[in-house]
Structures are given as structure tokens and as C-alpha cells.
Amino acid sequence: MKIDILTLFPNMFEGVLTESIIKRAIKDNKVEINLIDFRSYSKLSNNQVDDTPYGGGGGMVLRCEPIFDCIDDIDPNHEAYRILMTPDGITYKEQMAYELRDKKHIIILCGHYEGFDERIRTLVDQEISIGDYVLTGGEIPAMILIDSITRLIPGVITSTSLDSESFTDNLLDYPTYTKPEEYRGMKVPEVLVSGDHKKINEWRETQRIKRTEERRKDLLK
Ligand code: ADE
């Protein structure tokens, strides 16, 4: 799969792409991630990409031309699935990560500054928000998409890790423990050291339901 990120701040992605699981996925050709600084598509002096809003008001607004020209260039026939990161998009969920994982080519457009020209919305297939709060730009939200999608690509992480994790089936994950068996008076639940795998699985399933009821009743609907 290929992911193109359109951003004015490609350096922000340093680290996310050069460490840990995402780094390995790129190295193993499971995913290709390109950072495209759309400032280079500006035809204005000083490579300007924003301007003051019509009707007045504070802040600068991202202009249409560099974004339209950039997308015309990298996806002339609209074959890619195009996403705009914006707080007024639909709220991102694990199910959406699974759907995006199955796309061949995704373009993620990061908004920045105070906003963007409304006509930019006509370019995209989906507008996504990562939650009900406003960030300085779409870069961190784009990183969240990259991370959540890449880890679902077959072979990127061991698939058993995905089997029962939070949100895949509307239940939160079960509690896990490792050595030592007792730490500062806190003991590992006996069932986990019993060696009885049927009992362990039953316990885990019960814990998932209990934890979801306690913390996220909304998921059980
Ligand atoms: N840009 C700024 N805030 C955002 C959010 N919550 N989700 C997606 N993009 C954003």
C-alpha cells in the first residue's frame, strides 16, 4: 500500500517513520509512505500558500491552487482514496482503520493554520477528525492514521496481537501480566498460572466484558 502525506511540515513526521514498527514496515516494503511538501506547488512569491479570509476575520487560510495542483500531479485520474484531516470530519474509529488498510493508495491532506479554503473539500473522498478537540494542524492526526493503518497490514505485527485487542469486536482488551508472579503484594490472578487454557480463555472473555461494562458502556450497544 502507498500513503502520500500532503503537508507543509514534513519534518514533523521524522521519528514516526524512522522508529519501531512503522520503520520496519517501510523497510520490509509493506507500506510506502511519501511526504509531499505542497508549498513547492505554490506559484506565488516566497512560495506563499495561504491568504487572508474573504469577509474578514483573523488568521490565514490555505489557498486552493497549491493543493489542487499537487493532487492533479500525484493522482490525475483520482485513483487514490483521498482524506482530509480536519476537526469537522467524522470521528476516527478502529473499523475505519481496517477499511483504509484495504486501499491500494491513500492521500492524506493535512490542514494547517486557521483553516483552508472551503473548495479544497471537493477534492477528497472523506474528511476525518481524530477527536473532539482542535490541534494546530492535521499532521499529528495524519500520524495517527498512518500508525493505526500500518499495524493492520498483514505481516507487520503478529496477527494474534490483533485477535482480541480493544475495539476489534466492541470489547476492550483483557488484563495482562508478566513476571514476577507477585509484586508489592499484588498477585497475578491464579487462573493465569493454572495452565488450564480453557479456563484462561473463559476468564479473559469475562474480563473483557466486565472492563467494557465498567469503562465503556457505550461500546456494548
Ligand atoms: N486538525 C486539527 N484538529 C484536528 C482533529 N481533531 N482531527 C483531525 N484534524 C485536525
Side-chain angles (χ1 to χ4, degrees):
M1 110 165 310
K2 179 161 105 169
I3 306 178
D4 293 325
I5 315 288
L6 274 53
T7 171
L8 293 171
F9 303 98
N11 292 341
M12 284 180 72
F13 291 81
E14 179 83 17
V16 171
L17 305 184
T18 59
E19 297 289 342
S20 186
I21 291 168
I22 310 291
K23 171 188 176 177
R24 198 180 62 214
I26 295 170
K27 187 175 135 276
D28 294 346
N29 293 319
K30 301 279 186 202
V31 62
E32 174 189 334
I33 300 176
N34 303 306
L35 295 167
I36 300 166
D37 182 351
F38 59 82
R39 190 180 292 283
S40 62
Y41 286 85
S42 168
K43 296 191 179 83
L44 302 178
S45 62
N46 300 325
N47 291 333
Q48 186 185 339
V49 289
D50 55 359
D51 219 319
T52 52
Y54 278 116
M60 299 291 271
V61 176
L62 222 42
R63 294 171 62 105
C64 289
E65 308 96 314
I67 314 264
F68 275 73
D69 288 349
C70 176
I71 290 199
D72 282 351
D73 189 25
I74 64 172
D75 184 32
N77 300 317
H78 198 155
E79 284 157 344
Y81 193 73
R82 302 170 177 178
I83 298 165
L84 173 66
M85 302 313 305
T86 168
D88 41 25
I90 63 165
T91 310
Y92 195 52
K93 292 277 186 313
E94 183 71 10
Q95 181 53 36
M96 292 156 75
Y98 276 94
E99 284 160 21
L100 294 174
R101 184 267 315 261
D102 295 330
K103 307 272 182 212
K104 274 228 263 314
H105 181 190
I106 296 174
I107 295 174
I108 304 177
L109 171 58
C110 306
H112 221 275
Y113 298 121
E114 318 299 314
F116 44 82
D117 189 294
E118 190 66 15
R119 292 164 288 190
I120 289 171
R121 293 188 201 267
T122 65
L123 282 173
V124 303
D125 299 301
Q126 191 171 33
E127 299 181 17
I128 296 180
S129 164
I130 57 153
D132 290 344
Y133 37 82
V134 180
L135 302 168
T136 55
E139 280 74 14
I140 292 171
M143 291 175 207
I144 287 169
L145 257 66
I146 293 171
D147 191 284
S148 58
I149 295 167
T150 302
R151 65 188 290 284
L152 298 179
I153 297 173
V156 171
I157 58 176
T158 43
S159 60
T160 48
S161 316
L162 300 176
D163 285 348
S164 65
E165 68 181 5
S166 298
F167 308 119
T168 43
D169 48 10
N170 283 344
L171 290 178
L172 300 179
D173 206 353
Y174 53 75
T176 55
Y177 296 84
T178 186
K179 293 181 185 71
E181 211 173 306
E182 181 171 345
Y183 184 70
R184 299 196 180 194
M186 294 177 283
K187 285 194 181 138
V188 173
E190 238 164 65
V191 60
L192 295 180
V193 290
S194 68
D196 184 337
H197 286 282
K198 188 166 170 279
K199 275 221 177 91
I200 292 172
N201 287 338
E202 283 165 8
W203 180 84
R204 286 179 168 163
E205 206 49 31
T206 312
Q207 291 296 315
R208 298 188 72 198
I209 295 165
K210 181 167 171 268
R211 185 163 272 201
T212 312
E213 271 169 352
E214 281 165 9
R215 301 180 180 205
R216 291 294 306 273
K217 253 198 161 67
D218 59 298
L219 293 175
L220 293 171
K221 269 189 251 124

